[in-house]
Amino acid sequence: LIIGMTTVLWAKLEGATDACNDLAFNRGGSAFEKELPQALNRKLRFMRRCHKRLPLLNPLRRQADELVDRVQKLKQARHDLIHGVAREFPAAETMSFIRHSHGPEGLGVEHFTKTSADLSDFALSTMDLFEAAEDHLIAMINLIRSQSGDDESGDLTDE
């Protein structure tokens, strides 16, 4: 159950990141990429680059950098969990996983374990990260509105 919940949360996180990148792309970021990035590493580099180089987004640069750093810290754990296969479901607190890996010597198999506490912590971290990505998206929308003079639709922040 917790692996499925984490999968959905990560998809929502990437969706919020995609929306941020779409806004940036359509407000000057297209100078950095011909099309919106699809792979996570490219998405994160694009987000960081747009907030650094586009004057419109520069006020949100610190928030974007923090978001990218947090995603970078969790992405390997997400990769292991999503692409790993649980080998055992013991009554104990630890689960054993295997995951195919690609290295300099070709295809290999990695073995790793996760405790139920690890999985729970990862799910909570992913949820927090998704909320931070949503907050950043809302901040971008509000910043763009304020600089374009579009005040009739109001601020999107929760009150």
Side-chain angles (χ1 to χ4, degrees):
L1 180 63
I2 202 155
I3 293 173
M5 181 178 85
T6 303
T7 302
V8 170
L9 286 169
W10 195 274
K12 292 177 84 166
L13 164 65
E14 285 208 43
T17 303
D18 290 342
C20 290
N21 282 344
D22 184 64
L23 283 173
F25 185 84
N26 289 303
R27 282 166 181 76
S30 59
F32 312 131
E33 294 280 344
K34 292 179 185 175
E35 58 187 26
L36 281 169
Q38 299 296 311
L40 182 59
N41 283 333
R42 288 186 59 221
K43 289 178 186 183
L44 299 176
R45 277 194 306 271
F46 181 75
M47 179 181 276
R48 199 181 297 270
R49 183 181 305 143
C50 287
H51 283 77
K52 180 180 180 181
R53 293 187 182 173
L54 296 175
L56 172 69
L57 298 180
N58 201 261
L60 297 175
R61 181 178 177 185
R62 180 180 295 154
Q63 185 183 35
D65 284 345
E66 289 173 5
L67 180 62
V68 168
D69 290 344
R70 290 177 63 194
V71 173
Q72 291 281 12
K73 287 179 186 174
L74 287 182
K75 71 179 186 171
Q76 186 60 48
R78 177 259 175 211
H79 184 77
D80 288 344
L81 194 61
I82 299 305
H83 296 286
V85 175
R87 293 181 44 198
E88 302 172 17
F89 295 94
E93 290 289 309
T94 303
M95 294 174 61
S96 175
F97 290 82
I98 61 168
R99 180 176 64 79
H100 290 105
S101 61
H102 303 277
E105 292 150 16
L107 188 62
V109 176
E110 292 183 27
H111 298 265
F112 59 96
T113 59
K114 298 285 183 190
T115 66
S116 57
D118 294 335
L119 297 175
S120 180
D121 289 346
F122 182 71
L124 291 173
S125 295
T126 303
M127 184 178 299
D128 288 344
L129 193 51
F130 163 63
E131 290 172 359
E134 270 193 327
D135 290 345
H136 186 73
L137 176 60
I138 290 168
M140 286 180 70
I141 292 168
N142 287 332
L143 178 66
I144 290 165
R145 282 182 174 172
S146 73
Q147 294 194 8
S148 69
D150 179 13
D151 291 333
E152 66 186 58
S153 48
D155 193 313
L156 292 181
T157 55
D158 292 344
E159 295 183 14

